[in-house]
Each structure stands twice: as C-alpha cells, then as structure tokens.
Amino acid sequence: MTRRPDTSLVIAGRDERSLREVATAAAGSGPGNVEVACLDLTDAAAVAAAVPGYDVVINCAGPSHRLSELVAGVAIGAGVPYVDPG
C-alpha cells in the first residue's frame, strides 16, 4: 500500500484486530509506515479529534449514506482533502 519510505498510512476503524491484520498485510507490500487507529465514525467528537493533521482522508466505510456526511463535514471543516470511493 505504501510504496515510498517517506509516506505513512493510518487505517482507522472499530475492530482493532481486523485493522492490525490489514496493517500487517499493507506493511508487507513495500516501504512506508502503516499505523492503526481505533475510531468509531458515528462518534462526531472522535472524528473531529482524529482528522486534523492528516494530508487526506479516504473514507471507505459504509454504508456511505450513513457515514459519509459526518466524516466529509469534519474533513472539509478542518481543511483536509476528502475522498469517498463509495
């Protein structure tokens, strides 16, 4: 997932065990830093605290009709580019 050693990736979600499995697989695909962050996207305060400071937010959580609006609003409000492939 990360092909450049100067790039880091943070994957976030509610299930830490699953996140760690994905992080391990991603770290094995090349150089770079892969971190895990536990985050519940239905918790507006937690999302607001997590988003600032990142270069981009890519939201792959679903269902998008329930989870995209909050995350997009926080990212845009923090001036962080937002991508939602859903």
Short mmCIF file of all heavy atoms in Angstrom, two decimals:
data_model
loop_
_atom_site.label_atom_id
_atom_site.label_comp_id
_atom_site.label_asym_id
_atom_site.label_seq_id
_atom_site.Cartn_x
_atom_site.Cartn_y
_atom_site.Cartn_z
N MET A 1 0.81 -1.20 0.00
CA MET A 1 0.00 0.00 0.00
C MET A 1 0.85 1.26 0.00
O MET A 1 0.54 2.20 -0.67
CB MET A 1 -0.92 0.01 1.20
CG MET A 1 -2.10 -0.86 1.05
SD MET A 1 -3.26 -0.51 2.36
CE MET A 1 -4.61 -1.41 1.76
N THR A 2 1.87 1.29 0.81
CA THR A 2 2.75 2.45 0.80
C THR A 2 4.01 2.07 0.05
O THR A 2 4.72 1.16 0.45
CB THR A 2 3.09 2.93 2.22
OG1 THR A 2 3.71 1.86 2.92
CG2 THR A 2 1.85 3.35 2.97
N ARG A 3 4.30 2.74 -1.02
CA ARG A 3 5.44 2.40 -1.85
C ARG A 3 6.62 3.35 -1.66
O ARG A 3 7.65 3.15 -2.24
CB ARG A 3 5.02 2.37 -3.31
CG ARG A 3 3.95 1.34 -3.55
CD ARG A 3 3.64 1.23 -5.02
NE ARG A 3 2.45 0.44 -5.22
CZ ARG A 3 2.46 -0.88 -5.39
NH1 ARG A 3 3.57 -1.55 -5.36
NH2 ARG A 3 1.33 -1.52 -5.58
N ARG A 4 6.44 4.36 -0.85
CA ARG A 4 7.51 5.32 -0.60
C ARG A 4 7.85 5.32 0.89
O ARG A 4 6.95 5.37 1.72
CB ARG A 4 7.06 6.71 -1.02
CG ARG A 4 6.81 6.83 -2.51
CD ARG A 4 6.30 8.19 -2.86
NE ARG A 4 7.07 9.22 -2.16
CZ ARG A 4 7.16 10.46 -2.55
NH1 ARG A 4 6.54 10.85 -3.63
NH2 ARG A 4 7.86 11.34 -1.87
N PRO A 5 9.13 5.30 1.20
CA PRO A 5 9.51 5.28 2.62
C PRO A 5 9.15 6.57 3.36
O PRO A 5 9.06 6.56 4.58
CB PRO A 5 11.02 5.06 2.58
CG PRO A 5 11.45 5.33 1.20
CD PRO A 5 10.26 5.20 0.31
N ASP A 6 8.90 7.65 2.64
CA ASP A 6 8.56 8.92 3.30
C ASP A 6 7.04 9.09 3.44
O ASP A 6 6.57 10.17 3.77
CB ASP A 6 9.16 10.10 2.53
CG ASP A 6 8.62 10.21 1.11
OD1 ASP A 6 8.10 9.21 0.57
OD2 ASP A 6 8.75 11.30 0.53
N THR A 7 6.28 8.03 3.19
CA THR A 7 4.83 8.08 3.26
C THR A 7 4.34 7.22 4.42
O THR A 7 4.84 6.14 4.66
CB THR A 7 4.22 7.53 1.95
OG1 THR A 7 4.68 8.32 0.88
CG2 THR A 7 2.71 7.56 1.98
N SER A 8 3.36 7.73 5.13
CA SER A 8 2.75 6.92 6.18
C SER A 8 1.26 6.79 5.91
O SER A 8 0.65 7.63 5.27
CB SER A 8 3.00 7.52 7.56
OG SER A 8 2.40 8.78 7.66
N LEU A 9 0.72 5.72 6.40
CA LEU A 9 -0.69 5.40 6.21
C LEU A 9 -1.28 5.08 7.58
O LEU A 9 -0.70 4.31 8.34
CB LEU A 9 -0.83 4.19 5.28
CG LEU A 9 -2.20 3.58 5.10
CD1 LEU A 9 -3.10 4.55 4.33
CD2 LEU A 9 -2.09 2.26 4.35
N VAL A 10 -2.42 5.67 7.87
CA VAL A 10 -3.14 5.35 9.11
C VAL A 10 -4.47 4.76 8.69
O VAL A 10 -5.23 5.39 7.96
CB VAL A 10 -3.36 6.60 9.99
CG1 VAL A 10 -4.16 6.24 11.22
CG2 VAL A 10 -2.04 7.25 10.36
N ILE A 11 -4.73 3.54 9.13
CA ILE A 11 -6.04 2.93 8.87
C ILE A 11 -6.82 2.96 10.17
O ILE A 11 -6.28 2.69 11.24
CB ILE A 11 -5.91 1.50 8.29
CG1 ILE A 11 -5.10 0.59 9.20
CG2 ILE A 11 -5.31 1.54 6.91
CD1 ILE A 11 -5.11 -0.86 8.78
N ALA A 12 -8.07 3.34 10.06
CA ALA A 12 -8.89 3.51 11.26
C ALA A 12 -10.19 2.74 11.11
O ALA A 12 -10.70 2.55 10.01
CB ALA A 12 -9.19 4.99 11.47
N GLY A 13 -10.71 2.31 12.23
CA GLY A 13 -11.96 1.59 12.27
C GLY A 13 -12.26 1.16 13.69
O GLY A 13 -11.52 1.47 14.61
N ARG A 14 -13.34 0.42 13.85
CA ARG A 14 -13.76 -0.01 15.19
C ARG A 14 -13.14 -1.32 15.64
O ARG A 14 -12.98 -1.55 16.83
CB ARG A 14 -15.29 -0.15 15.25
CG ARG A 14 -16.00 1.17 15.12
CD ARG A 14 -17.48 0.97 15.14
NE ARG A 14 -17.85 0.27 13.90
CZ ARG A 14 -19.05 -0.17 13.61
NH1 ARG A 14 -20.02 -0.02 14.46
NH2 ARG A 14 -19.30 -0.76 12.48
N ASP A 15 -12.78 -2.19 14.71
CA ASP A 15 -12.30 -3.53 15.05
C ASP A 15 -10.77 -3.57 14.99
O ASP A 15 -10.18 -3.75 13.92
CB ASP A 15 -12.91 -4.54 14.08
CG ASP A 15 -12.55 -5.98 14.39
OD1 ASP A 15 -11.62 -6.23 15.18
OD2 ASP A 15 -13.21 -6.86 13.82
N GLU A 16 -10.14 -3.43 16.15
CA GLU A 16 -8.68 -3.34 16.18
C GLU A 16 -8.00 -4.59 15.62
O GLU A 16 -6.99 -4.49 14.93
CB GLU A 16 -8.19 -3.07 17.61
CG GLU A 16 -6.71 -2.80 17.66
CD GLU A 16 -6.22 -2.36 19.01
OE1 GLU A 16 -7.04 -2.21 19.94
OE2 GLU A 16 -5.01 -2.18 19.15
N ARG A 17 -8.55 -5.75 15.87
CA ARG A 17 -7.95 -6.99 15.36
C ARG A 17 -7.92 -6.99 13.83
O ARG A 17 -6.90 -7.27 13.20
CB ARG A 17 -8.71 -8.20 15.88
CG ARG A 17 -7.97 -9.50 15.59
CD ARG A 17 -8.72 -10.71 16.14
NE ARG A 17 -8.92 -11.57 14.99
CZ ARG A 17 -10.10 -11.94 14.48
NH1 ARG A 17 -11.20 -11.59 15.04
NH2 ARG A 17 -10.18 -12.69 13.43
N SER A 18 -9.03 -6.62 13.22
CA SER A 18 -9.08 -6.55 11.75
C SER A 18 -8.15 -5.49 11.21
O SER A 18 -7.48 -5.69 10.20
CB SER A 18 -10.51 -6.27 11.28
OG SER A 18 -11.35 -7.35 11.58
N LEU A 19 -8.09 -4.36 11.90
CA LEU A 19 -7.20 -3.28 11.47
C LEU A 19 -5.75 -3.75 11.48
O LEU A 19 -4.98 -3.46 10.55
CB LEU A 19 -7.34 -2.06 12.39
CG LEU A 19 -8.67 -1.32 12.33
CD1 LEU A 19 -8.73 -0.29 13.45
CD2 LEU A 19 -8.86 -0.66 10.98
N ARG A 20 -5.37 -4.46 12.51
CA ARG A 20 -3.99 -4.95 12.61
C ARG A 20 -3.68 -5.96 11.50
O ARG A 20 -2.58 -5.97 10.97
CB ARG A 20 -3.73 -5.55 13.99
CG ARG A 20 -3.81 -4.50 15.07
CD ARG A 20 -2.84 -4.69 16.19
NE ARG A 20 -2.96 -3.60 17.14
CZ ARG A 20 -2.35 -2.43 17.04
NH1 ARG A 20 -1.56 -2.20 16.03
NH2 ARG A 20 -2.51 -1.49 17.96
N GLU A 21 -4.64 -6.79 11.15
CA GLU A 21 -4.44 -7.73 10.04
C GLU A 21 -4.20 -6.97 8.73
O GLU A 21 -3.30 -7.31 7.96
CB GLU A 21 -5.65 -8.64 9.90
CG GLU A 21 -5.78 -9.67 10.99
CD GLU A 21 -7.06 -10.48 10.91
OE1 GLU A 21 -7.79 -10.38 9.89
OE2 GLU A 21 -7.34 -11.23 11.87
N VAL A 22 -5.01 -5.95 8.48
CA VAL A 22 -4.84 -5.15 7.26
C VAL A 22 -3.51 -4.41 7.29
O VAL A 22 -2.79 -4.35 6.30
CB VAL A 22 -6.02 -4.17 7.09
CG1 VAL A 22 -5.76 -3.20 5.94
CG2 VAL A 22 -7.31 -4.92 6.87
N ALA A 23 -3.15 -3.86 8.44
CA ALA A 23 -1.88 -3.13 8.58
C ALA A 23 -0.69 -4.05 8.32
O ALA A 23 0.27 -3.66 7.65
CB ALA A 23 -1.77 -2.49 9.96
N THR A 24 -0.76 -5.26 8.83
CA THR A 24 0.33 -6.22 8.61
C THR A 24 0.46 -6.54 7.13
O THR A 24 1.57 -6.57 6.58
CB THR A 24 0.07 -7.51 9.42
OG1 THR A 24 0.04 -7.17 10.81
CG2 THR A 24 1.15 -8.54 9.18
N ALA A 25 -0.65 -6.76 6.46
CA ALA A 25 -0.62 -7.04 5.02
C ALA A 25 -0.11 -5.84 4.24
O ALA A 25 0.69 -5.98 3.32
CB ALA A 25 -2.01 -7.44 4.54
N ALA A 26 -0.54 -4.65 4.63
CA ALA A 26 -0.11 -3.44 3.92
C ALA A 26 1.37 -3.17 4.13
O ALA A 26 2.09 -2.79 3.21
CB ALA A 26 -0.93 -2.24 4.40
N ALA A 27 1.85 -3.39 5.33
CA ALA A 27 3.26 -3.16 5.63
C ALA A 27 4.15 -4.10 4.84
O ALA A 27 5.26 -3.74 4.44
CB ALA A 27 3.52 -3.31 7.12
N GLY A 28 3.66 -5.29 4.54
CA GLY A 28 4.43 -6.26 3.79
C GLY A 28 4.51 -5.96 2.31
O GLY A 28 5.28 -6.58 1.59
N SER A 29 3.74 -4.99 1.83
CA SER A 29 3.71 -4.71 0.39
C SER A 29 4.75 -3.69 -0.05
O SER A 29 4.83 -3.37 -1.22
CB SER A 29 2.32 -4.23 -0.03
OG SER A 29 2.05 -2.95 0.52
N GLY A 30 5.53 -3.17 0.87
CA GLY A 30 6.56 -2.23 0.46
C GLY A 30 6.97 -1.32 1.60
O GLY A 30 6.48 -1.47 2.72
N PRO A 31 7.86 -0.38 1.32
CA PRO A 31 8.31 0.53 2.38
C PRO A 31 7.21 1.48 2.81
O PRO A 31 6.19 1.59 2.15
CB PRO A 31 9.46 1.27 1.73
CG PRO A 31 9.21 1.19 0.27
CD PRO A 31 8.46 -0.10 0.05
N GLY A 32 7.45 2.16 3.88
CA GLY A 32 6.46 3.10 4.39
C GLY A 32 6.00 2.67 5.76
O GLY A 32 6.33 1.59 6.24
N ASN A 33 5.23 3.49 6.38
CA ASN A 33 4.79 3.27 7.74
C ASN A 33 3.27 3.08 7.75
O ASN A 33 2.55 3.89 7.19
CB ASN A 33 5.19 4.49 8.57
CG ASN A 33 4.87 4.34 10.02
OD1 ASN A 33 4.80 3.23 10.54
ND2 ASN A 33 4.67 5.45 10.69
N VAL A 34 2.79 2.00 8.37
CA VAL A 34 1.36 1.74 8.47
C VAL A 34 0.99 1.69 9.95
O VAL A 34 1.54 0.91 10.70
CB VAL A 34 0.95 0.42 7.78
CG1 VAL A 34 -0.54 0.20 7.89
CG2 VAL A 34 1.40 0.41 6.33
N GLU A 35 0.06 2.55 10.35
CA GLU A 35 -0.39 2.61 11.73
C GLU A 35 -1.87 2.27 11.81
O GLU A 35 -2.58 2.34 10.82
CB GLU A 35 -0.17 4.01 12.30
CG GLU A 35 1.27 4.45 12.33
CD GLU A 35 1.42 5.88 12.79
OE1 GLU A 35 0.62 6.34 13.63
OE2 GLU A 35 2.33 6.56 12.29
N VAL A 36 -2.32 1.95 13.02
CA VAL A 36 -3.70 1.60 13.28
C VAL A 36 -4.28 2.59 14.29
O VAL A 36 -3.61 2.95 15.25
CB VAL A 36 -3.79 0.16 13.85
CG1 VAL A 36 -5.15 -0.12 14.43
CG2 VAL A 36 -3.43 -0.85 12.78
N ALA A 37 -5.51 3.04 14.05
CA ALA A 37 -6.21 3.92 15.00
C ALA A 37 -7.64 3.42 15.17
O ALA A 37 -8.35 3.24 14.18
CB ALA A 37 -6.21 5.35 14.48
N CYS A 38 -8.04 3.17 16.39
CA CYS A 38 -9.42 2.78 16.65
C CYS A 38 -10.30 4.02 16.59
O CYS A 38 -10.00 5.04 17.21
CB CYS A 38 -9.55 2.11 18.01
SG CYS A 38 -8.84 0.47 18.01
N LEU A 39 -11.35 3.96 15.79
CA LEU A 39 -12.21 5.12 15.58
C LEU A 39 -13.61 4.65 15.21
O LEU A 39 -13.79 3.82 14.33
CB LEU A 39 -11.65 5.99 14.44
CG LEU A 39 -12.40 7.25 14.09
CD1 LEU A 39 -12.40 8.23 15.26
CD2 LEU A 39 -11.78 7.91 12.86
N ASP A 40 -14.59 5.22 15.89
CA ASP A 40 -16.00 4.95 15.60
C ASP A 40 -16.53 6.14 14.82
O ASP A 40 -16.62 7.24 15.34
CB ASP A 40 -16.76 4.76 16.90
CG ASP A 40 -18.24 4.46 16.70
OD1 ASP A 40 -18.73 4.56 15.55
OD2 ASP A 40 -18.89 4.14 17.70
N LEU A 41 -16.87 5.93 13.56
CA LEU A 41 -17.31 7.05 12.70
C LEU A 41 -18.67 7.60 13.08
O LEU A 41 -19.09 8.61 12.53
CB LEU A 41 -17.32 6.62 11.23
CG LEU A 41 -15.95 6.33 10.63
CD1 LEU A 41 -16.09 5.98 9.16
CD2 LEU A 41 -15.00 7.49 10.81
N THR A 42 -19.36 6.96 14.01
CA THR A 42 -20.62 7.53 14.48
C THR A 42 -20.40 8.47 15.66
O THR A 42 -21.34 9.10 16.13
CB THR A 42 -21.62 6.42 14.88
OG1 THR A 42 -21.09 5.68 15.98
CG2 THR A 42 -21.89 5.48 13.71
N ASP A 43 -19.17 8.58 16.13
CA ASP A 43 -18.81 9.45 17.25
C ASP A 43 -18.21 10.74 16.69
O ASP A 43 -17.03 10.80 16.36
CB ASP A 43 -17.82 8.73 18.16
CG ASP A 43 -17.41 9.52 19.38
OD1 ASP A 43 -17.63 10.75 19.41
OD2 ASP A 43 -16.83 8.92 20.29
N ALA A 44 -19.03 11.77 16.56
CA ALA A 44 -18.61 13.02 15.93
C ALA A 44 -17.40 13.64 16.61
O ALA A 44 -16.49 14.15 15.95
CB ALA A 44 -19.77 14.02 15.90
N ALA A 45 -17.36 13.61 17.93
CA ALA A 45 -16.23 14.20 18.67
C ALA A 45 -14.94 13.44 18.37
O ALA A 45 -13.87 14.06 18.19
CB ALA A 45 -16.52 14.21 20.16
N ALA A 46 -15.01 12.12 18.29
CA ALA A 46 -13.82 11.32 17.99
C ALA A 46 -13.32 11.59 16.57
O ALA A 46 -12.11 11.72 16.34
CB ALA A 46 -14.12 9.83 18.18
N VAL A 47 -14.24 11.71 15.63
CA VAL A 47 -13.85 12.00 14.25
C VAL A 47 -13.22 13.39 14.17
O VAL A 47 -12.17 13.58 13.55
CB VAL A 47 -15.06 11.88 13.29
CG1 VAL A 47 -14.69 12.34 11.88
CG2 VAL A 47 -15.58 10.45 13.27
N ALA A 48 -13.83 14.36 14.84
CA ALA A 48 -13.31 15.73 14.84
C ALA A 48 -11.91 15.80 15.45
O ALA A 48 -11.07 16.57 15.00
CB ALA A 48 -14.25 16.66 15.58
N ALA A 49 -11.64 14.96 16.44
CA ALA A 49 -10.32 14.95 17.07
C ALA A 49 -9.30 14.22 16.20
O ALA A 49 -8.11 14.54 16.25
CB ALA A 49 -10.41 14.27 18.44
N ALA A 50 -9.74 13.27 15.39
CA ALA A 50 -8.82 12.44 14.61
C ALA A 50 -8.37 13.08 13.30
O ALA A 50 -7.24 12.89 12.88
CB ALA A 50 -9.47 11.09 14.33
N VAL A 51 -9.23 13.81 12.64
CA VAL A 51 -8.98 14.26 11.27
C VAL A 51 -7.90 15.34 11.11
O VAL A 51 -7.04 15.22 10.24
CB VAL A 51 -10.30 14.71 10.61
CG1 VAL A 51 -10.05 15.47 9.33
CG2 VAL A 51 -11.17 13.50 10.34
N PRO A 52 -7.88 16.39 11.92
CA PRO A 52 -6.87 17.43 11.70
C PRO A 52 -5.45 16.87 11.77
O PRO A 52 -5.16 15.98 12.55
CB PRO A 52 -7.11 18.41 12.84
CG PRO A 52 -8.53 18.20 13.22
CD PRO A 52 -8.77 16.72 13.02
N GLY A 53 -4.61 17.38 10.91
CA GLY A 53 -3.23 16.94 10.91
C GLY A 53 -2.90 15.92 9.83
O GLY A 53 -1.74 15.65 9.57
N TYR A 54 -3.91 15.36 9.18
CA TYR A 54 -3.65 14.43 8.09
C TYR A 54 -3.65 15.18 6.76
O TYR A 54 -4.24 16.25 6.63
CB TYR A 54 -4.69 13.31 8.07
CG TYR A 54 -4.51 12.36 9.23
CD1 TYR A 54 -5.40 12.35 10.29
CD2 TYR A 54 -3.42 11.50 9.28
CE1 TYR A 54 -5.22 11.50 11.37
CE2 TYR A 54 -3.23 10.66 10.35
CZ TYR A 54 -4.13 10.66 11.39
OH TYR A 54 -3.94 9.83 12.46
N ASP A 55 -2.99 14.59 5.77
CA ASP A 55 -2.92 15.21 4.45
C ASP A 55 -4.16 14.95 3.62
O ASP A 55 -4.53 15.75 2.77
CB ASP A 55 -1.68 14.71 3.69
CG ASP A 55 -0.39 15.15 4.34
OD1 ASP A 55 -0.35 16.28 4.89
OD2 ASP A 55 0.58 14.39 4.31
N VAL A 56 -4.81 13.81 3.85
CA VAL A 56 -6.02 13.46 3.11
C VAL A 56 -6.79 12.41 3.92
O VAL A 56 -6.18 11.62 4.64
CB VAL A 56 -5.70 12.92 1.69
CG1 VAL A 56 -4.95 11.61 1.74
CG2 VAL A 56 -6.95 12.79 0.83
N VAL A 57 -8.11 12.44 3.81
CA VAL A 57 -8.96 11.42 4.42
C VAL A 57 -9.62 10.65 3.29
O VAL A 57 -10.28 11.25 2.42
CB VAL A 57 -10.04 12.05 5.33
CG1 VAL A 57 -11.04 10.99 5.78
CG2 VAL A 57 -9.42 12.74 6.52
N ILE A 58 -9.43 9.34 3.29
CA ILE A 58 -10.10 8.47 2.32
C ILE A 58 -11.06 7.61 3.12
O ILE A 58 -10.64 6.77 3.92
CB ILE A 58 -9.09 7.60 1.54
CG1 ILE A 58 -8.08 8.49 0.83
CG2 ILE A 58 -9.84 6.69 0.57
CD1 ILE A 58 -6.92 7.73 0.21
N ASN A 59 -12.34 7.83 2.94
CA ASN A 59 -13.37 7.15 3.72
C ASN A 59 -13.95 5.99 2.93
O ASN A 59 -14.70 6.18 1.99
CB ASN A 59 -14.47 8.15 4.10
CG ASN A 59 -15.54 7.53 4.96
OD1 ASN A 59 -15.41 6.41 5.43
ND2 ASN A 59 -16.61 8.27 5.16
N CYS A 60 -13.61 4.78 3.35
CA CYS A 60 -14.12 3.57 2.70
C CYS A 60 -15.19 2.89 3.54
O CYS A 60 -15.59 1.76 3.24
CB CYS A 60 -12.97 2.60 2.44
SG CYS A 60 -11.72 3.26 1.33
N ALA A 61 -15.61 3.54 4.61
CA ALA A 61 -16.61 2.94 5.50
C ALA A 61 -17.99 3.00 4.87
O ALA A 61 -18.31 3.88 4.10
CB ALA A 61 -16.62 3.68 6.84
N GLY A 62 -18.79 2.06 5.23
CA GLY A 62 -20.14 2.04 4.71
C GLY A 62 -21.12 1.62 5.78
O GLY A 62 -20.71 1.15 6.82
N PRO A 63 -22.36 1.81 5.55
CA PRO A 63 -22.93 2.34 4.32
C PRO A 63 -22.69 3.85 4.19
O PRO A 63 -22.81 4.60 5.16
CB PRO A 63 -24.42 2.03 4.45
CG PRO A 63 -24.68 1.93 5.92
CD PRO A 63 -23.40 1.46 6.55
N SER A 64 -22.30 4.26 3.00
CA SER A 64 -21.94 5.67 2.77
C SER A 64 -23.07 6.63 3.10
O SER A 64 -22.81 7.72 3.58
CB SER A 64 -21.52 5.95 1.34
OG SER A 64 -21.10 4.90 0.63
N HIS A 65 -24.30 6.24 2.83
CA HIS A 65 -25.40 7.17 3.09
C HIS A 65 -25.53 7.49 4.58
O HIS A 65 -26.12 8.50 4.94
CB HIS A 65 -26.73 6.62 2.53
CG HIS A 65 -27.28 5.45 3.28
ND1 HIS A 65 -26.89 4.16 3.02
CD2 HIS A 65 -28.20 5.39 4.28
CE1 HIS A 65 -27.55 3.34 3.83
NE2 HIS A 65 -28.34 4.06 4.61
N ARG A 66 -24.95 6.66 5.44
CA ARG A 66 -24.99 6.93 6.88
C ARG A 66 -23.71 7.57 7.40
O ARG A 66 -23.75 8.31 8.36
CB ARG A 66 -25.21 5.62 7.65
CG ARG A 66 -26.63 5.16 7.67
CD ARG A 66 -26.88 4.05 8.69
NE ARG A 66 -26.18 4.23 9.93
CZ ARG A 66 -25.36 3.31 10.47
NH1 ARG A 66 -25.14 2.17 9.88
NH2 ARG A 66 -24.77 3.54 11.61
N LEU A 67 -22.56 7.24 6.79
CA LEU A 67 -21.29 7.62 7.40
C LEU A 67 -20.51 8.70 6.66
O LEU A 67 -19.61 9.30 7.23
CB LEU A 67 -20.41 6.37 7.55
CG LEU A 67 -21.01 5.28 8.43
CD1 LEU A 67 -20.18 4.01 8.37
CD2 LEU A 67 -21.14 5.77 9.86
N SER A 68 -20.83 8.97 5.43
CA SER A 68 -20.03 9.93 4.67
C SER A 68 -20.22 11.38 5.10
O SER A 68 -19.26 12.14 5.15
CB SER A 68 -20.35 9.81 3.17
OG SER A 68 -19.95 8.55 2.71
N GLU A 69 -21.44 11.77 5.38
CA GLU A 69 -21.72 13.18 5.67
C GLU A 69 -20.91 13.70 6.86
O GLU A 69 -20.29 14.76 6.78
CB GLU A 69 -23.21 13.40 5.92
CG GLU A 69 -23.55 14.87 6.14
CD GLU A 69 -25.04 15.10 6.34
OE1 GLU A 69 -25.84 14.14 6.28
OE2 GLU A 69 -25.40 16.26 6.56
N LEU A 70 -20.88 12.95 7.95
CA LEU A 70 -20.15 13.38 9.14
C LEU A 70 -18.66 13.49 8.85
O LEU A 70 -18.03 14.52 9.13
CB LEU A 70 -20.37 12.41 10.30
CG LEU A 70 -19.48 12.63 11.53
CD1 LEU A 70 -19.83 13.94 12.20
CD2 LEU A 70 -19.58 11.47 12.48
N VAL A 71 -18.08 12.45 8.27
CA VAL A 71 -16.63 12.44 8.02
C VAL A 71 -16.26 13.52 7.01
O VAL A 71 -15.28 14.25 7.19
CB VAL A 71 -16.16 11.06 7.56
CG1 VAL A 71 -14.66 11.05 7.30
CG2 VAL A 71 -16.52 9.99 8.59
N ALA A 72 -17.03 13.65 5.95
CA ALA A 72 -16.76 14.69 4.95
C ALA A 72 -16.84 16.08 5.57
O ALA A 72 -15.97 16.92 5.33
CB ALA A 72 -17.75 14.57 3.79
N GLY A 73 -17.86 16.32 6.37
CA GLY A 73 -18.01 17.63 7.01
C GLY A 73 -16.85 17.97 7.91
O GLY A 73 -16.35 19.10 7.90
N VAL A 74 -16.40 17.00 8.70
CA VAL A 74 -15.25 17.24 9.58
C VAL A 74 -13.99 17.50 8.77
O VAL A 74 -13.23 18.43 9.04
CB VAL A 74 -15.05 16.04 10.55
CG1 VAL A 74 -13.72 16.15 11.28
CG2 VAL A 74 -16.20 15.96 11.54
N ALA A 75 -13.74 16.67 7.76
CA ALA A 75 -12.54 16.84 6.94
C ALA A 75 -12.54 18.19 6.24
O ALA A 75 -11.55 18.93 6.28
CB ALA A 75 -12.43 15.70 5.92
N ILE A 76 -13.64 18.54 5.61
CA ILE A 76 -13.73 19.82 4.90
C ILE A 76 -13.57 20.98 5.87
O ILE A 76 -12.86 21.94 5.60
CB ILE A 76 -15.04 19.90 4.10
CG1 ILE A 76 -15.00 18.88 2.96
CG2 ILE A 76 -15.29 21.31 3.59
CD1 ILE A 76 -16.34 18.61 2.31
N GLY A 77 -14.21 20.87 7.04
CA GLY A 77 -14.09 21.91 8.05
C GLY A 77 -12.67 22.09 8.56
O GLY A 77 -12.26 23.19 8.93
N ALA A 78 -11.90 20.99 8.55
CA ALA A 78 -10.51 21.05 9.01
C ALA A 78 -9.55 21.39 7.87
O ALA A 78 -8.35 21.48 8.09
CB ALA A 78 -10.12 19.71 9.63
N GLY A 79 -10.09 21.56 6.67
CA GLY A 79 -9.25 21.88 5.52
C GLY A 79 -8.45 20.70 5.00
O GLY A 79 -7.41 20.87 4.36
N VAL A 80 -8.95 19.49 5.26
CA VAL A 80 -8.26 18.27 4.82
C VAL A 80 -9.01 17.72 3.61
O VAL A 80 -10.23 17.51 3.68
CB VAL A 80 -8.23 17.22 5.96
CG1 VAL A 80 -7.59 15.93 5.49
CG2 VAL A 80 -7.52 17.78 7.18
N PRO A 81 -8.32 17.46 2.51
CA PRO A 81 -8.99 16.88 1.34
C PRO A 81 -9.68 15.56 1.70
O PRO A 81 -9.16 14.78 2.49
CB PRO A 81 -7.85 16.64 0.35
CG PRO A 81 -6.80 17.62 0.74
CD PRO A 81 -6.90 17.72 2.23
N TYR A 82 -10.85 15.34 1.12
CA TYR A 82 -11.68 14.19 1.44
C TYR A 82 -12.01 13.42 0.17
O TYR A 82 -12.37 14.00 -0.85
CB TYR A 82 -12.98 14.68 2.09
CG TYR A 82 -13.98 13.59 2.36
CD1 TYR A 82 -13.86 12.79 3.48
CD2 TYR A 82 -15.05 13.36 1.51
CE1 TYR A 82 -14.77 11.78 3.75
CE2 TYR A 82 -15.96 12.35 1.76
CZ TYR A 82 -15.82 11.57 2.89
OH TYR A 82 -16.72 10.58 3.15
N VAL A 83 -11.88 12.09 0.24
CA VAL A 83 -12.21 11.21 -0.87
C VAL A 83 -13.13 10.11 -0.33
O VAL A 83 -12.85 9.53 0.73
CB VAL A 83 -10.94 10.56 -1.47
CG1 VAL A 83 -11.30 9.57 -2.57
CG2 VAL A 83 -9.97 11.61 -1.96
N ASP A 84 -14.20 9.84 -1.04
CA ASP A 84 -15.10 8.76 -0.68
C ASP A 84 -15.36 7.91 -1.91
O ASP A 84 -16.15 8.29 -2.76
CB ASP A 84 -16.41 9.32 -0.13
CG ASP A 84 -17.30 8.24 0.47
OD1 ASP A 84 -17.20 7.07 0.06
OD2 ASP A 84 -18.09 8.58 1.36
N PRO A 85 -14.66 6.77 -2.03
CA PRO A 85 -14.85 5.95 -3.22
C PRO A 85 -16.24 5.33 -3.33
O PRO A 85 -16.61 4.84 -4.38
CB PRO A 85 -13.78 4.86 -3.10
CG PRO A 85 -13.19 4.98 -1.76
CD PRO A 85 -13.65 6.24 -1.13
N GLY A 86 -17.02 5.37 -2.23
CA GLY A 86 -18.37 4.80 -2.26
C GLY A 86 -19.31 5.70 -2.98
O GLY A 86 -20.30 5.39 -3.51
#
